[in-house]
Amino acid sequence: MAEHNLFLLLACLPFATSLILLTLPQGARGASSWLSALSMAGGLAVLFAFLPEIQAGNVLRARLEWVPSLGMNMALRMDGFAWLFATLVLSIGLLVVIYARYYMGRNDSLPRFYALLLAFTGAMQGILISGNVLVMVVFWELTSFMSFLLIGFWHQGAAARDGARTALIITALGGLCLLVAMLMLGHAAGSYDLGMILRAGEKIRAHSLYGPMLALFLMGAFTKSAQFPFHFWLPGAMAAPTPVSAFLHSATMVKAGVFLLVRFAPVLGGTEAWFFAVTGAGCVTLVLGAVVALYRHDLKGLLAYSTISHLGLITALAGIGGRVALLAAIFHICNHAVFKASLFMAAGIIDHETGTRDMRRLSGLFRPMPYTATLAIVAAAAMAGVPLLNGFLSKEMFFAEAVDWHNGTWLDDALPYFAIVGSSLSVAYSLRFIATVFFGPQATDLPKPPHEPPAWMRRPVELLVLICLLVGIFPALTLGPIINTAARSVAGADMPYYKIAVWHGVNAPLMMSLAALGVGTLIYALSAKSISDGPEGPFLLHRIRGQRVYDWLLFRLTWRLPRLALRWLSTEALQPQLRLLVLTAIAVACGALWGALSFASDLRLHAPNPGFGLLWLVGAACAIGAAWQAKYHRFAALVLLGGAGVVTCLTFAWFSSPDLALTQLLVEVATTVLLLLGLRWLPKRRSEIAEDKLLPAKVRRARDLVIAVIGGLGIASIAFAMMTRPLISNLGDWFLGNAYYEGGGTNVVNVILVDFRAFDTFGEIAVLAIVGLTVYALLRRFRPAPESVEAPDQQTLADSPSLDDYLYVPSVVMVWMFPVLIMVAGYFFFRGHDLPGGGFAAGVTLAIAFLVQYIGTNVRWVESRITVLPIRWMGIGLLVSVATGMGAWLFGYPFLTAHARYVHIPLVGEVPAATALLFDIGVFATVVGAVVLMLVAIAHQSLRASRRREMDEAAAARKEVA
Amino acid sequence: MEIILSAAIGILSASGIWLVLRPRSFQVVIGLCLLSYAVNLFIFSMGRLTPGAPPIMPKGGFIDPTLYADPLPQALVLTAIVISFATTALFLVVMIVSRGLTGTDHVDGKERSQ
C-alpha cells in the first residue's frame, strides 16, 4: 500500500509543485529554484526506493478510477524501461533547474518558468508511467502543450512565438494521429491497458486495421521525435531559453517519440512494413540531420540538427527491433541525453558569457574559459563517438547491429553504409564545433568579454561530463545492469544478459568506428573554409526548407482557404441566411413527409361555425394586411398585428383553453405597448425607397412570396392532417388523471407548469429575466437616431392643444384602475392552481397595472409616487423559485418536488396551499420584474431625450449670452 | 372548423415567412410575431380541437381523459407566449439601437450595395 501511494505521489508531485510555484511572487528566485529542485530530487528519491523491486523484474502498478465507462482508468505502471527513462528525466530535470537558476536573467519570471518546466516534467513522466494508452495520449498532448509554453517563454520575440506555434501544430497533430492509433490498438487488443496491449502483439499484427494503425502510430512518434519529414519544428524550437532546449531536446520531448517506438516495437514491430518505415525514416534522418548540422553557423542550430540525426539513429535501431537492437536503442537514449544536455548547457554558457552563438564570430575561447572548453570538448567527443566515452559504446552497438542483423532486404544491405556516413558526418560537425569555437585566434569583437561562468552554472555540466566518462570507461559497472533490466522489460523477461564492454577485440564495428573518425576528420579538414563562408546548408539543399513548405501550407490552409470558403459558402447578410433557413426547413419537411403525408380515411371534423369563419376572415385579413403594410405604414401594421393577435386569443378561448386565451390577451397588451414605445425611436420613413420599384426588387419579392406560399401551404396541410386524425391516448391523459391527486390542483395546465414540469418553467423565467436584463443593458447606452431625437410634432406645434389637459379623463380613470388591477392580479394568482390564471397571467396583469400609470400620466409623476424596482422583483422571484425547489431537498426529495394541500382561511374558504404556489410566487415576481423592466427602460428614453434637449438648449443659451 | 383553422395557420405563417425575408427590421419583427402566432396555434392544434371542455378537473373521483381538451400542448404554448413576448422585446430593442447606431433600418445595418 505504501508503494502504491508513493507511486501516486511520484505522478502528482511535479504538477502539485507547479501549482505552488504559480502562486509565488515574480521575484522569488531563490525560493522557486529550491522548491523545483526539491521536487525533482523528491521524485528521484521515490524512484530509488523502487529500484530493488524494478531490479527484481517486477512491474509496479497503481490505479485510480477516472472514466470507467470509457475504459479510461488512471492506471499507472512502471517497469524497468519506464523506471530508467523516468530517472533520466528527473535527473536531467534537476540539473536543468540548477542551471536555469543562473542562466535566466533578472527580468525573467523564474517562478513562472519553473512552474511550466515542472508541469512539463509531470506530463513527460506521465507518458512514461501511464498504464493506460488513452491516458498516455492525454499526457502526450500535455507535453506538446507545455512545450509550446516553454518554447514560447520569451514570447516578446517573434521567433519564439513562431517556433512555439510550429512545434505545437506539428506535435499536437501527431498526437491526434496517435490518439486514433491508440483507439485502434485498444480495439484490436480488446483493452486499453498497456500491459494487455504489450501481450497482444500477435493479435494486433494480424488485425485487419494493422496498416492504418501503424501509419497513424508512426505519425505520432515521428512528429514528436522530429523524424524526417517532420524534423523542421525542432530547429525552430531553438528560440527557447537554453535550459528548455537542454531539457526538451536531450531527455524529454523528442525522446518521448523514441520511447514510444521502443515501447511498442515488440507489439507493432517485426513486420516488413515496420522495418521499412521506421528504419528507413531513421536512416534518412540520421544522414540528413548530420549533413545539415555540419553547415549550421548557429551553435544551437548545430546541436538541434545533431539531435535530429541522433534521434534518427535511435529510430533506426527501433526499426530493426531485435533484442540487442532495442537494448542499444535504450542505451543510446541515455547516452545521447547525457552528452546532449551537457552540450546544450555549454552552448548556453558560451551564449551567456559572450553574447553570441554564431560560430563565425566565436573563436579561441579555450584561453578565456578553459574549464568550460574542456567540458564541452569531452562532451562533443562523446557525441562524435570517440572511444572511452559513452557515445562510442552505443554507436558501436549500432554498427554491430547494422552489420550482423539481416532480413535480406535492400535497406538491410544499405544499413552499414548509412551508419558509416552518418557517423563520419557526426565526427565532422563535432570537430567543427570544437575547432571553431575553442581554437584559433581569440575573437576580439564579441558583444561581451568572455570569461568563466559562475561555478554553479558549470556544476551540472561537470556532472554530466563525468557521467560520460564513467559510462564510457566502466559501462558494465555503471549502466550495464539497469540497461539490461530495461531492455528485458521491453523485449521479454527471457532475454539473456548482454554484457556491455569497451573492448570486443578487432572486429567490423571497431573498423567502422575508426573509419568514421578518419573520414569525418577528412571531411572537416577539406570543407572547413567553404562551410564557414557559405550558406547554412550544402549545395542547393539549403534552398529546400521544410519550414518554408510548412509555412506555405499553413498559410494556405489557415488563412487563404478559410477566407475563400467564407466568401463562397457564407454571407454576413441576414436575408440569404433566413431564406436558406426557411428553404432548409421546407426541404426537411418535404423529405420527411414525402409520400408519408396522408389524411385519415375517416376525417374527424367539427361542423364549421360561421362565426368562427368570420372571425378568421378578419384574422387572415389582418395578417395579410400587416405583411402588406409593415414597410411604409408601421403603425397600421402594428394595429393589424394586434387584430391577428386578438383573433388568435379568441381561438384559444373557443377551443377550451382559457389559460392560453387569458395569457395571450394580457401579453398582447404588453406587446402592443412595447412596440408603440419602440416606434417612437424608429424614425418615420418619409419617402418611398426608389429601389423598390426596380425589377430586381420585384423579382426578390415574387421569389419570397413563392417561398412563403409554399411554406404556408405546407404548414396548413400538416396541421389539417394532424387535426383530423383521431386522438390517441398520450401523456396528456396522465396529466389529466393525476393533476389533482399528485399536484393538488384542478387546473391541469397550471399544475403542469408549476409542478409536473416546474423545472422547464424555471428555465423559462430565467430566460425572461436574462432578456429583461439584456434589454435594460442595451438601452443604457442607447443613442437614438438623430431624426427622432427632437420632440415629436404633437409636443412642438404652437397651435396644438395644451398638453396639460392631454388625456385628462382617461388618465384619472387609469389612476383609479390601479388598485382594481392589483386586485385582479391577486385574483388570477390565487385561483391559478384550480381555475384559469396563475403566475404568468397575474405577473403580466400587475405589470400592465404599472404600465397603465405610465401611460395615463407621465414618467415623472408616476416615479415620484411609486417606486418599482424591477431588477429586485426579478432577483427575488428567481431566488424564491430556486429556494422552493431546493426546499424539497430538506425532505429528501429531488429538486422542485412539490407538496400540495388545502388550508381553510376564514372568510376566503378553502385555499390550495401547495408548495407549487410558492414556486408560482417566484414565477409571478420574475414576470412582473422582467416585463416592467423592459417597458420602463424604453419609456425612460423619452425622459433622457428631453433631459438632453434641455441641456442642449441651456448650452445654446449660454453661448448666446457669451 | 379544422379547415378554417388550418387555413388560418397557413395564412399566418405565410405572412410571417414573407415578412421575415424582408429587408427592413420592423418588417422582420412583425413577421416574427405573426410566425409565433402561427406556430402557437399549430402546436395547440396538435391536441385536436375540443370546444367546450377545458382541462379543469373535479376534485377527486374517476377522470375520463377523453372528456377534456389535451392539456399538454396548452402548457407548452403558455410558456411559448411569454417567451415570444420576451424575444419580441429583445428584437425591438436591437432594432432601435441598430437604427440609432447605423442610421438605417436595413437588417444588415447597411443599405444593399448596388
Side-chain angles (χ1 to χ4, degrees):
Chain A
M1 198 60 209
E3 202 176 75
H4 184 265
N5 290 346
L6 266 183
F7 200 6
L8 289 178
L9 178 74
L10 177 71
C12 300
L13 193 61
F15 292 112
T17 318
S18 171
L19 283 180
I20 298 172
L21 282 166
L22 278 178
T23 63
L24 292 184
Q26 292 259 328
R29 296 175 70 86
S32 60
S33 33
W34 272 106
L35 191 62
S36 321
L38 279 176
S39 164
M40 296 275 192
L44 277 175
V46 173
L47 281 172
F48 277 97
F50 290 161
L51 184 58
E53 284 276 319
I54 296 291
Q55 281 288 37
N58 292 337
V59 176
L60 300 179
R61 286 173 209 280
R63 189 185 178 82
L64 288 176
E65 294 290 313
W66 188 13
V67 194
S69 57
L70 288 180
M72 218 154 129
N73 298 314
M74 194 66 204
L76 301 178
R77 176 184 186 278
M78 187 186 287
D79 56 9
F81 186 39
W83 186 91
L84 177 67
F85 221 124
T87 310
L88 190 69
V89 168
L90 288 183
S91 333
I92 301 224
L94 178 60
L95 297 178
V96 165
V97 165
I98 297 170
Y99 178 79
R101 164 76 180 80
Y102 297 93
Y103 181 86
M104 300 303 280
R106 284 266 143 219
N107 297 329
D108 300 320
S109 162
L110 263 187
R112 193 170 87 87
F113 178 77
Y114 283 133
L116 294 175
L117 196 75
L118 262 293
F120 177 82
T121 311
M124 181 67 204
Q125 193 182 249
I127 297 180
L128 305 176
I129 61 176
S130 51
N132 180 304
V133 287
L134 295 181
V135 178
M136 183 190 277
V137 176
V138 171
F139 281 120
W140 179 276
E141 289 290 47
L142 196 60
T143 57
S144 296
F145 183 65
M146 295 315 301
S147 74
F148 167 74
L149 293 176
L150 279 169
I151 295 169
F153 185 73
W154 285 328
H155 50 80
Q156 301 84 351
R161 291 199 300 269
D162 288 346
R165 196 179 53 216
T166 311
L168 179 68
I169 292 175
I170 298 291
T171 56
L173 210 65
L176 286 180
C177 294
L178 187 68
L179 174 63
V180 180
M182 287 303 184
L183 287 172
M184 290 175 168
L185 209 59
H187 175 69
S191 165
Y192 293 107
D193 185 78
L194 182 60
M196 302 278 275
I197 289 178
L198 290 183
R199 279 194 294 277
E202 292 279 324
K203 208 160 111 192
I204 290 168
R205 282 191 297 272
H207 199 266
S208 57
L209 283 175
Y210 176 70
M213 197 192 300
L214 182 66
L216 289 167
F217 174 84
L218 291 182
M219 272 291 286
F222 285 178
T223 49
K224 199 79 158 188
S225 58
Q227 293 300 296
F228 180 82
F230 306 112
H231 61 283
F232 54 87
W233 70 262
L234 201 146
M238 287 300 133
T242 300
V244 172
S245 307
F247 194 39
L248 260 58
H249 305 142
S250 68
T252 54
M253 181 80 171
V254 293
K255 289 288 169 63
V258 287
F259 167 81
L260 207 67
L261 286 175
V262 172
R263 173 106 275 177
F264 285 90
V267 181
L268 290 164
T271 60
E272 195 141 296
W274 168 273
F275 172 69
F276 269 98
V278 180
T279 307
C283 285
V284 172
T285 314
L286 165 68
V287 174
L288 205 77
V291 171
V292 180
L294 182 60
Y295 284 87
R296 301 305 280 189
H297 299 315
D298 178 20
L299 213 53
K300 278 176 79 179
L302 184 149
L303 293 177
Y305 276 100
S306 136
T307 301
I308 293 174
S309 167
H310 279 271
L311 288 165
L313 193 158
I314 301 170
T315 306
L317 279 168
I320 293 172
R323 288 178 163 178
V324 182
L326 289 180
L327 185 134
I330 296 170
F331 193 28
H332 198 66
I333 287 174
C334 300
N335 291 338
H336 174 256
V338 172
F339 67 68
K340 196 45 71 65
S342 63
L343 277 171
F344 267 118
M345 288 181 188
I349 291 175
I350 292 167
D351 184 17
H352 202 254
E353 304 305 336
T354 64
T356 178
R357 296 193 316 236
D358 191 334
M359 278 192 281
R360 286 167 300 185
R361 297 180 68 185
L362 293 166
S363 180
L365 285 184
F366 194 87
R367 202 176 308 252
M369 35 204 323
Y371 288 113
T372 310
T374 312
L375 294 171
I377 289 169
V378 176
M383 175 163 76
V386 171
L388 294 186
L389 292 167
N390 59 358
F392 170 75
L393 295 170
S394 41
K395 189 174 278 187
E396 221 180 26
M397 288 164 78
F398 174 51
F399 287 157
E401 277 300 297
V403 174
D404 296 344
W405 187 84
H406 293 294
N407 70 349
T409 55
W410 63 266
L411 182 59
D412 170 50
D413 297 336
L415 213 50
Y417 302 100
F418 275 113
I420 290 250
V421 174
S423 0
S424 310
L425 288 165
S426 167
V427 171
Y429 65 67
S430 304
L431 256 180
R432 178 172 179 229
F433 172 61
I434 296 170
T436 44
V437 176
F438 297 113
F439 296 102
Q442 195 174 338
T444 47
D445 60 340
L446 294 173
K448 290 189 216 165
H451 56 82
E452 285 288 346
W456 273 100
M457 193 164 175
R458 220 171 49 215
R459 292 282 178 268
V461 191
E462 285 167 358
L463 186 65
L464 287 168
V465 169
L466 185 68
I467 294 173
C468 283
L469 280 164
L470 282 178
V471 172
I473 299 169
F474 310 109
L477 292 180
T478 48
L479 277 181
I482 189 65
I483 295 277
N484 267 289
T485 310
R488 219 174 283 149
S489 71
V490 175
D494 52 342
M495 177 179 170
Y497 191 88
Y498 182 91
K499 193 163 186 321
I500 305 169
V502 181
W503 181 251
H504 290 283
V506 181
N507 54 8
L510 185 69
M511 287 299 123
M512 286 164 80
S513 287
L514 293 179
L517 281 173
V519 174
T521 318
L522 201 66
I523 293 175
Y524 176 65
L526 290 180
S527 60
K529 185 81 181 73
S530 64
I531 287 173
S532 60
D533 294 341
E536 292 202 296
F539 178 66
L540 281 184
L541 205 65
H542 70 271
R543 292 181 181 277
I544 309 165
R545 301 281 291 278
Q547 179 73 39
R548 224 173 280 165
V549 177
Y550 161 83
D551 283 342
W552 183 84
L553 257 180
L554 194 69
F555 180 72
R556 284 292 125 95
L557 285 177
T558 65
W559 186 267
R560 293 281 295 276
L561 205 65
R563 273 159 186 74
L564 262 181
L566 202 65
R567 208 167 66 210
W568 287 109
L569 302 175
S570 166
T571 169
E572 284 185 349
L574 182 68
Q575 284 176 281
Q577 295 178 24
L578 282 175
R579 198 180 309 130
L580 210 62
L581 201 71
V582 173
L583 285 176
T584 311
I586 293 175
V588 167
C590 283
L593 295 173
W594 195 258
L597 182 68
S598 59
F599 298 100
S601 54
D602 181 21
L603 291 182
R604 178 181 179 274
L605 284 173
H606 291 84
N609 182 311
F612 190 68
L614 210 59
L615 198 65
W616 269 109
L617 202 62
V618 176
C622 282
I624 295 171
W628 187 265
Q629 295 297 334
K631 189 163 198 174
Y632 291 105
H633 303 280
R634 294 177 188 138
F635 186 69
L638 184 52
V639 173
L640 290 168
L641 177 72
V646 169
V647 174
T648 306
C649 162
L650 289 173
T651 306
F652 287 141
W654 199 295
F655 295 112
S656 327
S657 182
D659 273 293
L660 286 190
L662 185 63
T663 314
Q664 177 78 55
L665 188 67
L666 293 165
V667 166
E668 203 55 49
V669 172
T671 309
T672 309
V673 174
L674 187 80
L675 287 173
L676 277 174
L677 287 170
L679 274 186
R680 161 72 180 83
W681 301 107
L682 196 65
K684 214 169 162 181
R685 197 184 304 290
R686 307 224 178 243
S687 59
E688 291 222 337
I689 300 166
E691 200 199 305
D692 272 6
K693 296 230 164 67
L694 299 178
L695 186 66
K698 285 182 180 165
V699 170
R700 279 199 298 274
R701 281 201 294 271
R703 177 194 56 197
D704 292 348
L705 190 66
V706 172
I707 296 176
V709 168
I710 292 174
L713 273 177
I715 291 185
S717 43
I718 297 172
F720 184 74
M722 273 304 284
M723 272 189 270
T724 50
R725 249 160 239 275
L727 186 64
I728 46 168
S729 161
N730 62 21
L731 193 59
D733 299 346
W734 188 90
F735 286 132
L736 286 169
N738 290 284
Y740 183 70
Y741 297 109
E742 302 271 328
T746 57
N747 180 3
V748 184
V749 175
N750 186 270
V751 174
I752 291 177
L753 285 179
V754 298
D755 190 341
F756 293 141
R757 306 295 307 160
F759 196 61
D760 294 358
T761 310
F762 177 65
E764 313 254 8
I765 57 173
V767 170
L768 201 62
I770 292 166
V771 171
L773 288 177
T774 313
V775 166
Y776 177 68
L778 275 172
L779 286 174
R780 274 188 56 144
R781 304 256 168 195
F782 172 57
R783 289 266 169 280
E787 298 96 311
S788 50
V789 171
E790 283 174 22
D793 291 346
Q794 293 86 339
Q795 291 179 21
T796 48
L797 284 179
D799 56 350
S800 68
S802 165
L803 283 174
D804 297 341
D805 296 333
Y806 176 67
L807 283 180
Y808 187 72
V809 175
S811 80
V812 171
V813 175
M814 285 173 183
V815 173
W816 285 1
M817 282 302 282
F818 189 53
V820 179
L821 280 172
I822 292 176
M823 201 54 204
V824 173
Y827 175 63
F828 280 156
F829 178 77
F830 282 109
R831 69 180 222 151
H833 217 47
D834 282 351
L835 291 165
F840 274 122
V844 183
T845 311
L846 189 62
I848 290 173
F850 286 125
L851 193 64
V852 161
Q853 304 314 305
Y854 278 83
I855 294 174
T857 56
N858 61 57
V859 176
R860 288 189 179 117
W861 188 91
V862 175
E863 295 194 344
S864 61
R865 281 162 184 79
I866 35 175
T867 318
V868 193
L869 298 168
I871 296 182
R872 291 206 190 158
W873 279 85
M874 282 188 338
I876 290 169
L878 284 175
L879 283 178
V880 166
S881 30
V882 174
T884 315
M886 292 200 300
W889 286 344
L890 292 182
F891 302 95
Y893 291 103
F895 187 61
L896 278 171
T897 308
H899 172 75
R901 62 179 297 187
Y902 283 80
V903 285
H904 183 83
I905 296 177
L907 295 179
V908 179
E910 291 281 310
V911 171
T915 55
L917 199 70
L918 279 177
F919 180 75
D920 221 11
I921 289 181
V923 174
F924 165 75
T926 314
V927 171
V928 173
V931 176
V932 170
L933 182 66
M934 291 185 227
L935 292 167
V936 169
I938 297 190
H940 268 220
Q941 298 308 317
S942 302
L943 207 61
R944 279 180 54 190
S946 74
R947 212 178 291 141
R948 207 176 298 133
R949 268 201 307 277
E950 280 164 19
M951 274 161 64
D952 287 349
E953 276 164 22
R958 268 202 306 279
K959 210 180 255 174
E960 255 171 49
V961 171
Chain B
M1 296 296 256
E2 278 78 4
I3 294 175
I4 298 172
L5 188 61
S6 43
I9 292 172
I11 289 170
L12 280 176
S13 43
S15 315
I17 293 172
W18 194 75
L19 275 178
V20 164
L21 297 177
R22 297 297 83 220
R24 304 291 149 186
S25 48
F26 188 73
Q27 289 177 304
V28 176
V29 172
I30 297 283
L32 285 169
C33 288
L34 284 176
L35 257 185
S36 73
Y37 294 150
V39 171
N40 286 347
L41 281 172
F42 180 77
I43 296 173
F44 174 68
S45 72
M46 292 299 106
R48 312 298 187 275
L49 302 186
T50 330
I56 311 275
M57 301 291 105
K59 292 185 177 174
F62 172 74
I63 287 155
D64 179 8
T66 53
L67 296 181
Y68 300 93
D70 190 351
L72 193 61
Q74 297 192 15
L76 290 176
V77 172
L78 187 76
T79 43
I81 292 173
V82 181
I83 290 291
S84 60
F85 165 72
T87 48
T88 306
L90 189 63
F91 285 134
L92 179 87
V93 171
V94 170
M95 175 181 88
I96 59 175
V97 169
S98 145
R99 175 66 177 85
L101 215 61
T102 61
T104 164
D105 64 342
H106 196 281
V107 284
D108 296 332
K110 56 179 186 239
E111 292 295 326
R112 175 187 290 271
S113 54
Q114 290 298 312

